[in-house]
């Protein structure tokens, strides 16, 4: 189908403000008499707080307030389960937990005052490994977990420190293994990864004379943040006013309150606005990184190479608190894709989310998907090799098909995995002679559901003839507002510059916010329907002004005209004037999509790399990423999401790691925590397997979380192809490759 606006490569609507410095981020907010807050954090992973002496800090010149838990309401916070104290009250559960907070005229003064606070601790036994935390003799970190607000009773476990145990299954797993002639078992582990956004978490709160809390926050779910802050500080929700600000990157991490409750209490105590901005050291030691995971797989295969049974046990290290997880299961939803892109008739997946004395984990782009896909796609290679089957052929024999039922209950429609996989292979060097020794090629594939949720919006015709869309959803940098602009412009149709999109979270009471690859599907769908309704209303107003019937009115070249009468025309601005004050020129609606669409998205990637056997250094030569897509609304944003996710996936697979030893993070700045840079990125070749079938407006599909998922597995498979060493844990660094090669050589393999 041919479109006029959809499919056009438009720059982001908020781009000019960002590149000129006109955009306001939370750290840019400056209010009259604003002061700064800084946090004292625990140096111990698990300890009882015996006493806190703040007198010296309180007497320091320039210090305006020092607060500990005894100064605050005894409340807990979280995105679903409320298990996280605003300040540690009786005990600390990880290195970096907030113990006290200081407000001062100057941030350096506040920082210096922290050193004057004396805390006496009594150390307690700690546990740093999720598997060990499930043992009967492990220290119990949250003995009162079942009484926490919103704790998920349906997913309680009798195992120690397990705060959520979720099972997904299809078929009969015992029957499946009875049908298998061979059974393979492997275990894989993955690590902690920070989101790597440029802007750290920041909050500003000002309590006004009527007790209202005005909030500026780096948060992708501002309406949800309003509710969470109200609960945390014991205010009615309508007493919290959220002011829109730009967000400097999210990647799953900007959904929590972080320091906002502390800003509120300091503002209430001092009568002045308070700003808190986390340093990157704080981000790395106390943010909400990707969950480390242990994935144990048991696969039953027939002698013909058909997978008939698949069992996965996925253990996520939740860290000290579960409050950073936004889903009702209080677990990591990506575990439900642990059977991969394969139509296995008998599947059982158990996911355990476990408390430890480590940094609390949260959501990172495609939460859980990269972890389980690394395991599944590595195991497919291992099984194929053991059975003497080409790994690509083994995959093709088992791919999911139309009508297959996934373990999470989805019965798939319009499955395009075979075409997507074949397109990746055909566009790569797969099967061709290799130019050098120690060059390897690897392939991996995955799928990603399109997220559901609640959308709210208002659309209205302005007096100047522009159509304005007001949404509570901020643009996290993905170009979501540009896509909404294109949806409205195409639906009407209008020139795209005649459509404005504005984030106004303070005007709405509920909303799901950005996340789960849902904005174009959930919000875009609602906005398209509202545009059609507003267009019909405007046509009726125009008919009244033109003194004719609505069916006689046509809209051409930006004007409403009576059919057959070119001298009777109205611009949109004139229609707005004619309908001034009429309610039909403004529409507000809510729409809830409770279920993910049956149509999903598939990704296949091929990596070609070279390994230096003397140093272990890996050089990626080429990546081909193939995607099953519908109509592409904005090619620039679409490609940006693919490339950005792919680079993050390379970081996850080879470079990035929040390194912890007994709960202590050692990668505390970006000199140690390495993010991929231009020298790490090879030529990227994108292949689009396009079909105009999708659940989002104009038959579009989600793309934001697809490309990050299979790449780590493809890298692992390519390294094995290059040097014959199989890695069961991530990241695959040069040091690990070097040690593995030396160990292999010393063993004479």
């Amino acid at each position: 189908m041919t479109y006029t606006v959809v499919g056009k490569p438009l720059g982001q609507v908020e781009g000019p403000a960002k590149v000129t410095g006109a955009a306001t981020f939370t750290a840019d907010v400056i209010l009259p008499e604003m002061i700064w807050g800084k946090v004292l954090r625990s140096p111990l992973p698990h300890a009882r707080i015996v006493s806190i002496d703040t007198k010296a800090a309180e007497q320091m010149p320039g210090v305006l307030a020092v607060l500990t838990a005894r100064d605050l309401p005894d409340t807990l916070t979280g995105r679903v389960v409320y298990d996280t104290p605003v300040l540690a009250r009786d005990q600390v559960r990880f290195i970096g937990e907030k113990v006290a907070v200081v407000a001062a005229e100057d941030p350096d003064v506040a920082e210096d005052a922290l050193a004057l606070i004396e805390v006496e601790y009594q150390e307690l036994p700690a546990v740093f490994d999720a598997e060990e935390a499930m043992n009967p003799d492990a220290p119990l970190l949250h003995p009162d977990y079942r009484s926490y607000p919103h704790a998920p009773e349906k997913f309680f476990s009798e195992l120690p420190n397990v705060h959520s145990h979720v099972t997904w299954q299809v078929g009969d797993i015992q029957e499946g293994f009875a049908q298998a002639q061979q059974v393979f078992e492997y275990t894989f582990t993955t690590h902690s990864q920070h989101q790597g956004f440029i802007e750290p978490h920041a909050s500003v709160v000002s309590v006004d004379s009527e007790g209202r809390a005005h909030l500026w926050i780096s948060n992708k779910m501002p309406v949800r943040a309003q509710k969470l802050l109200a609960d945390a500080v014991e205010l009615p929700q309508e007493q919290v006013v959220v002011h829109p600000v730009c967000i400097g990157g999210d990647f799953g991490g900007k959904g929590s309150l972080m320091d906002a409750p502390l800003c509120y209490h300091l503002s209430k105590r001092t009568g002045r606005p308070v700003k808190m901005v986390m340093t990157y050291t704080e981000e790395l030691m106390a943010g909400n990184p990707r969950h480390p995971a242990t994935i144990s797989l048991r696969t039953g295969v027939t002698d013909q190479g058909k997978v008939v049974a698949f069992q996965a046990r996925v253990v996520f290290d939740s860290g000290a608190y579960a409050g950073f997880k936004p889903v009702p299961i209080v677990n990591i939803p990506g575990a439900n894709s642990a059977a991969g892109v394969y139509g296995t008739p008998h599947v059982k997946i158990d996911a355990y989310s476990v408390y430890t004395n480590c940094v609390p984990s949260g959501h990172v782009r495609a939460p859980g998907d990269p972890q389980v896909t690394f395991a599944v796609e590595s195991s497919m290679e291992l099984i194929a090799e053991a059975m003497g089957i080409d790994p690509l052929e083994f995959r093709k024999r088992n791919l999911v098909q139309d009508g297959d039922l996934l373990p999470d209950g989805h019965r798939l429609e319009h499955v395009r995995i075979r075409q997507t996989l074949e397109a990746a292979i055909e566009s790569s060097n797969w099967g061709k002679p290799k130019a050098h020794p120690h060059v390897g090629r690897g392939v991996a594939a995955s799928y990603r559901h399109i997220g559901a949720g609640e959308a709210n919006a208002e659309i209205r015709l302005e007096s100047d003839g522009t159509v304005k869309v007001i949404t509570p959803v901020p643009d996290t940098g993905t170009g979501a507002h540009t896509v909404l602009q294109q949806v409205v412009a195409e639906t009407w149709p209008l020139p795209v510059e005649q459509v404005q999109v504005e984030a106004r979270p303070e005007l709405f009471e509920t909303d799901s916010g950005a996340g789960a690859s849902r904005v174009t599907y959930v919000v875009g769908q609602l906005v398209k329907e509202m545009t059609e309704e507003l267009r019909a209303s405007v046509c009726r107003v125009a008919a009244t002004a033109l003194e004719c019937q609505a069916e006689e009115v046509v809209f051409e070249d930006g004007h409403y005209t009576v059919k057959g009468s070119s001298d009777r025309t109205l611009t949109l601005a004139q229609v707005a004037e004619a309908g001034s004050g009429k309610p039909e020129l403004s529409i507000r609606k809510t729409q809830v999509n409770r279920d993910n669409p049956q149509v999903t998205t598939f990704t296949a990637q091929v990596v070609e790399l070279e390994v230096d056997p003397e140093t272990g250094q890996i050089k990626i030569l080429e990546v081909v990423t193939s995607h099953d897509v519908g109509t592409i609304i904005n090619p620039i944003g679409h490609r940006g999401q693919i490339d950005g996710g792919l680079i993050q996936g390379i970081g996850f697979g080879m470079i990035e790691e929040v390194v912890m030893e007994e709960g202590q993070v050692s990668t505390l700045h970006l000199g140690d925590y390495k993010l991929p840079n231009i020298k790490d990125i090879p030529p990227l070749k994108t292949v689009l397997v396009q079909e105009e079938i999708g659940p989002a407006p104009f038959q579009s599909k989600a793309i934001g979380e697809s490309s990050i998922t299979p790449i780590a597995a493809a890298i692992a498979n390519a390294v094995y192809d290059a040097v014959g060493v199989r890695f069961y844990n991530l990241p695959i660094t040069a040091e690990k490759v070097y040690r593995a090669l030396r160990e292999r050589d010393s063993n004479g393999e």
Side-chain angles (χ1 to χ4, degrees), residues 228 416 542 587 651:
L228 296 180
R416 305 277 287 170
I587 299 170

Side-chain angles (χ1 to χ4, degrees), residues 627-711:
H627 297 269
D628 154 41
V629 301
T631 300
I632 298 170
I633 294 179
N634 188 327
I636 293 177
H638 194 268
R639 180 60 183 267
Q641 289 296 295
I642 292 172
D643 289 352
L646 191 55
I647 292 167
Q648 279 192 293
I650 291 172
F652 178 67
M654 296 175 54
I655 300 167
E656 300 178 49
E657 182 177 13
V658 178
V659 178
M660 283 179 272
E661 185 174 349
E662 296 191 334
Q664 175 71 60
V665 176
S666 60
T667 48
L668 286 176
H669 57 80
L670 294 180
D672 287 329
Y673 183 85
K674 305 290 187 182
L675 291 167
N677 62 43
I678 192 63
K679 288 192 173 182
D680 300 307
I681 308 306
L684 306 178
K685 183 184 294 185
T686 299
V687 182
L688 302 179
V689 179
Q690 193 163 10
E691 182 181 27
E692 291 186 352
I693 295 177
F698 305 104
Q699 304 293 316
S700 58
K701 293 182 180 180
I703 195 66
E705 296 175 278
S706 297
S707 61
I708 191 173
T709 298
I711 188 69

Side-chain angles (χ1 to χ4, degrees), residues 165-207:
H165 171 205
V166 185
T167 300
W168 296 277
Q169 56 188 339
V170 62
D172 184 322
I173 195 66
Q174 292 183 345
E175 180 183 337
F177 280 113
Q179 296 173 5
Q181 279 84 52
Q182 298 188 59
V183 176
F184 300 88
E185 297 187 33
Y186 306 104
T187 296
F188 302 86
T189 60
T190 66
H191 57 300
S192 178
Q193 178 193 28
H194 190 272
Q195 293 85 358
F197 35 65
I198 296 174
E199 175 204 36
H201 281 90
S203 313
V204 176
V205 174
S206 177
V207 180

Side-chain angles (χ1 to χ4, degrees), residues 293-316:
T294 299
I295 305 104
S296 300
L297 306 180
R298 186 168 181 252
T299 309
V301 189
T302 67
D303 287 339
Q304 291 73 42
K306 288 288 291 182
V307 178
V308 291
F310 182 87
Q311 188 167 9
R313 178 179 180 272
V314 186
V315 178
F316 291 110

Side-chain angles (χ1 to χ4, degrees), residues 413-454:
E413 301 173 1
H414 302 293
V415 172
R416 305 277 287 170
I417 177 57
R418 182 175 295 273
Q419 297 92 324
T420 306
L421 179 60
E422 289 175 348
I425 294 296
E426 290 169 4
S427 299
S428 72
N429 293 321
W430 195 271
K432 297 177 182 177
K434 297 173 182 176
H436 306 286
H438 309 116
V439 168
R441 295 170 187 145
V443 63
S446 65
Y447 72 90
R448 172 76 185 171
H449 286 318
I450 301 166
E454 177 185 337

Side-chain angles (χ1 to χ4, degrees), residues 53-283:
D53 186 348
T54 62
K55 291 178 183 177
E58 291 168 351
Q59 294 170 3
M60 183 175 175
V63 170
L64 302 175
V66 181
L67 302 179
T68 65
R70 65 176 178 265
D71 301 305
L72 311 182
D74 190 4
T75 60
L76 298 171
T77 69
R79 296 180 69 179
V80 171
V81 62
Y82 291 5
D83 71 341
T84 310
V86 176
L87 288 174
R89 183 165 294 274
D90 300 313
Q91 61 178 307
V92 293
R93 294 183 174 92
F94 74 100
I95 295 173
E97 181 160 6
K98 301 174 217 178
V99 175
V101 64
V102 171
E105 298 274 4
D106 182 272
D108 292 335
V109 172
E111 190 80 44
D112 291 343
L114 298 179
L116 301 179
I117 300 174
E118 296 184 5
V119 185
E120 182 183 352
Y121 297 100
Q122 178 188 349
E123 288 198 57
L124 298 172
V127 60
F128 307 106
D129 180 85
E131 293 281 0
E132 293 178 7
M134 300 165 72
N135 292 335
D137 58 349
L140 199 59
L141 304 190
H142 290 265
D144 300 324
Y145 172 69
R146 296 192 178 201
S147 66
Y148 288 160
H150 315 301
E153 182 177 358
K154 182 179 178 181
F155 305 109
F156 286 164
S157 170
E158 296 302 320
L159 293 171
N161 293 308
V162 174
H163 62 73
S164 176
H165 171 205
V166 185
T167 300
W168 296 277
Q169 56 188 339
V170 62
D172 184 322
I173 195 66
Q174 292 183 345
E175 180 183 337
F177 280 113
Q179 296 173 5
Q181 279 84 52
Q182 298 188 59
V183 176
F184 300 88
E185 297 187 33
Y186 306 104
T187 296
F188 302 86
T189 60
T190 66
H191 57 300
S192 178
Q193 178 193 28
H194 190 272
Q195 293 85 358
F197 35 65
I198 296 174
E199 175 204 36
H201 281 90
S203 313
V204 176
V205 174
S206 177
V207 180
D208 67 21
S209 59
E210 297 180 9
R212 289 186 301 244
H214 294 266
L215 172 65
W216 294 258
I217 186 170
S218 306
N219 191 292
K220 65 178 176 178
M221 299 176 175
V223 178
R224 180 67 178 153
Q226 177 193 37
K227 166 72 167 118
L228 296 180
L229 181 60
D231 287 354
V233 302
E234 299 183 329
L235 275 179
Q237 186 172 343
E238 60 271 16
Q239 286 288 95
V240 177
V241 180
V242 180
H243 297 268
V245 285
C246 291
I247 297 175
D250 160 47
F251 313 115
K254 296 278 183 71
S256 304
L257 288 177
M258 287 301 180
D259 294 327
L262 293 176
C263 287
Y264 169 82
H265 289 298
L266 290 172
S267 180
K268 188 177 179 183
R269 171 67 68 92
T270 62
R272 296 171 66 172
V274 177
K275 178 189 288 189
M276 296 182 70
V277 180
M278 291 176 66
T279 65
Y280 237 99
T281 294
E282 291 177 300
E283 282 281 355

